[in-house]
Amino acid sequence: GRRPILAGVHFEISKGALTAVALDGCRIAHASIPVQATGSEAVTVDAKQLTGAITHLSGTVALDILPASVRLTDDTATVLTQKLAGEYTDWRKFIPQTTTLASVDRGALLDSVNRMMILRGTGALRIVLRAADGELLVEADVETGHLSAPREVGTHGPETEMGFNASYLKRA
């Protein structure tokens, strides 16, 4: 089922920055901006309410974290959004701490992903990309076993591994 906390936008205020994070189970969006703030705080608000609220605001917006809600205020309006209960996912673990570049022919990568999707059976398919030593290994587990497709690529950086939903990877 749907996880209600993932229907939210998570805000963290710390070290003079406001970071906003949104997850949907397959993708992550995050951005940080410098702010004038005291202390550290984190809160998650309903994304639909937030979207509706920000349409009424413009210019510089003050964000106040209240016991049950978040108040957003500009020069002309004040709006409240509901806080969501629950612990937000540790989103930082999804952000690579090192950078590895791999140059691969898009057609060859899509060919590997498409072949694996044909054999997946039912449901979503998780593709794992492993880049190291001039090779990109495209891997997936399907109903009939484990699939692996090595591709020669140019790599720069430490060995890395990342998982993707195959449908999202095809659209990227």
Side-chain angles (χ1 to χ4, degrees):
R2 186 161 161 79
R3 294 168 283 188
I5 197 73
L6 290 183
V9 176
H10 185 69
F11 291 99
E12 294 178 358
I13 301 170
S14 179
K15 300 176 186 170
L18 171 65
T19 301
V21 181
L23 302 167
D24 71 358
C26 297
R27 296 170 288 191
I28 181 171
H30 71 98
S32 293
I33 59 171
V35 294
Q36 294 178 352
T38 57
S40 296
E41 186 119 26
V43 64
T44 306
V45 298
D46 183 271
K48 286 184 181 178
Q49 284 185 10
L50 180 63
T51 301
I54 61 175
T55 61
H56 301 288
L57 302 170
S58 62
T60 301
V61 175
L63 182 142
D64 297 305
I65 300 173
L66 306 173
S69 61
V70 173
R71 179 175 52 217
L72 302 164
T73 309
D74 70 3
D75 292 336
T76 61
T78 297
V79 292
L80 295 173
T81 63
Q82 178 182 348
K83 283 175 145 181
L84 294 178
E87 188 73 26
Y88 201 75
T89 299
D90 180 10
W91 60 273
R92 286 179 177 80
K93 69 182 178 183
F94 302 116
I95 307 295
Q97 300 304 306
T98 60
T99 300
T100 300
L101 299 176
S103 300
V104 62
D105 177 80
R106 185 176 191 276
L109 177 61
L110 285 176
D111 181 58
S112 296
V113 172
N114 285 330
R115 289 172 189 246
M116 291 177 180
M117 288 183 78
I118 291 170
L119 299 172
R120 79 171 171 238
T122 59
L125 177 64
R126 181 176 183 263
I127 297 282
V128 175
L129 302 180
R130 289 186 174 86
D133 302 323
E135 181 178 84
L136 180 69
L137 195 56
V138 183
E139 297 182 303
D141 290 318
V142 296
E143 289 180 3
T144 57
H146 182 78
L147 302 174
S148 181
R151 297 286 178 186
E152 287 187 25
V153 298
T155 59
H156 178 71
E159 180 175 332
T160 192
E161 172 183 315
M162 295 203 64
F164 297 90
N165 176 302
S167 296
Y168 290 116
L169 186 60
K170 283 180 61 173
R171 284 187 252 158

